[in-house]
Amino acid sequence: MNRVILFTVILFGAAIGLYYYQSLLKSEIDINANNQGQQRPDYTAKTLRSRIYNQEGQLENQIWASNMKYYTGSMTLTQFDAPKLVVYPSGKRSGWTLNASHGELEQNNLLRLSEDVVITMLTAQNQTNTLLTDYVDIDLTTNDVSSDQPVTVKGPGYRLDGVGLKGNVEQEHIEVLNDVKATYEPEK
């Protein structure tokens, strides 16, 4: 009878072991299936600073970020936390400064800034203008900027509120598109 009991215990233990092994395999497959949609970055950086120069060796733009994640695959994408971009129109020492909470750079040189976007411009008259919005696209090839979100433009003695904008950094031109309300205050 000892052989029968021993054989039953071994058979029962093998059944439990096989069941446990299959459970582990199933949970690993489920984890892999869930993670397939979440691509891991190819590389990351902390406290990033980058400078980009043109063919003539002039500084075109600089970018800083607290964190950066770079992804490749079907579409190359770079994500930034707390990005700051300075764009220098050709032949000028002063440029436009763009700050935001988040940013994404796509492979077609389209930079999307979101959340608390602040654009500071120094005009030809050496006046500082500030543009506030929640979202803006910047084409780094053409230097075109655009947004369909509410915007506020502040400058010496005025304030513009509206919805949407388009413009060009190189031409130092911004146009508020819709529902524009302007307030002018004489300088003191």
Side-chain angles (χ1 to χ4, degrees), residues 62-73:
Q62 295 184 76
I63 191 162
W64 294 266
S66 61
N67 292 302
M68 183 271 305
K69 295 176 186 170
Y70 179 78
Y71 300 88
T72 59

Side-chain angles (χ1 to χ4, degrees), residues 5-85:
I5 294 174
L6 182 62
F7 180 75
T8 305
V9 168
I10 291 174
L11 186 61
F12 186 74
I16 290 175
L18 184 60
Y19 176 78
Y20 181 71
Y21 177 73
Q22 286 180 339
S23 295
L24 284 176
L25 281 179
K26 183 180 183 314
S27 65
E28 186 176 2
I29 290 170
D30 290 343
I31 289 170
N32 287 338
N34 288 336
N35 286 339
Q36 270 185 333
Q38 301 171 355
Q39 185 180 1
R40 298 185 75 192
D42 292 304
Y43 62 86
T44 62
K46 291 192 182 294
T47 318
L48 170 79
R49 181 174 183 186
S50 174
R51 294 179 178 183
I52 299 172
Y53 296 88
N54 63 17
Q55 296 278 345
E56 292 80 39
Q58 297 172 329
L59 185 61
E60 282 189 342
N61 56 53
Q62 295 184 76
I63 191 162
W64 294 266
S66 61
N67 292 302
M68 183 271 305
K69 295 176 186 170
Y70 179 78
Y71 300 88
T72 59
S74 61
M75 185 172 159
T76 303
L77 177 70
T78 307
Q79 294 178 332
F80 301 98
D81 292 332
K84 176 183 178 183
L85 173 70

Side-chain angles (χ1 to χ4, degrees), residues 100-112:
S101 295
H102 302 286
E104 288 187 352
L105 178 63
E106 296 180 357
Q107 64 190 17
N108 58 357
N109 275 342
L110 181 65
L111 177 63
R112 293 196 160 131

Side-chain angles (χ1 to χ4, degrees), residues 38-169:
Q38 301 171 355
Q39 185 180 1
R40 298 185 75 192
D42 292 304
Y43 62 86
T44 62
K46 291 192 182 294
T47 318
L48 170 79
R49 181 174 183 186
S50 174
R51 294 179 178 183
I52 299 172
Y53 296 88
N54 63 17
Q55 296 278 345
E56 292 80 39
Q58 297 172 329
L59 185 61
E60 282 189 342
N61 56 53
Q62 295 184 76
I63 191 162
W64 294 266
S66 61
N67 292 302
M68 183 271 305
K69 295 176 186 170
Y70 179 78
Y71 300 88
T72 59
S74 61
M75 185 172 159
T76 303
L77 177 70
T78 307
Q79 294 178 332
F80 301 98
D81 292 332
K84 176 183 178 183
L85 173 70
V86 179
V87 179
Y88 300 96
S90 61
K92 303 205 174 164
R93 291 187 145 180
S94 62
W96 292 31
T97 303
L98 301 97
N99 295 298
S101 295
H102 302 286
E104 288 187 352
L105 178 63
E106 296 180 357
Q107 64 190 17
N108 58 357
N109 275 342
L110 181 65
L111 177 63
R112 293 196 160 131
L113 299 178
S114 60
E115 292 186 38
D116 303 320
V117 178
V118 178
I119 301 174
T120 306
M121 307 161 274
L122 183 62
T123 67
Q125 296 83 18
N126 289 327
Q127 296 177 336
T128 301
N129 294 320
T130 303
L131 187 141
L132 309 167
T133 188
D134 282 332
Y135 176 87
V136 70
D137 285 336
I138 302 105
D139 185 327
L140 296 177
T141 304
T142 63
N143 287 324
D144 289 331
V145 295
S146 63
S147 179
D148 59 359
Q149 298 297 306
V151 295
T152 299
V153 181
K154 296 179 183 180
Y158 75 92
R159 175 186 170 128
L160 292 173
D161 293 299
V163 178
L165 71 90
K166 69 177 181 176
N168 186 281
V169 174

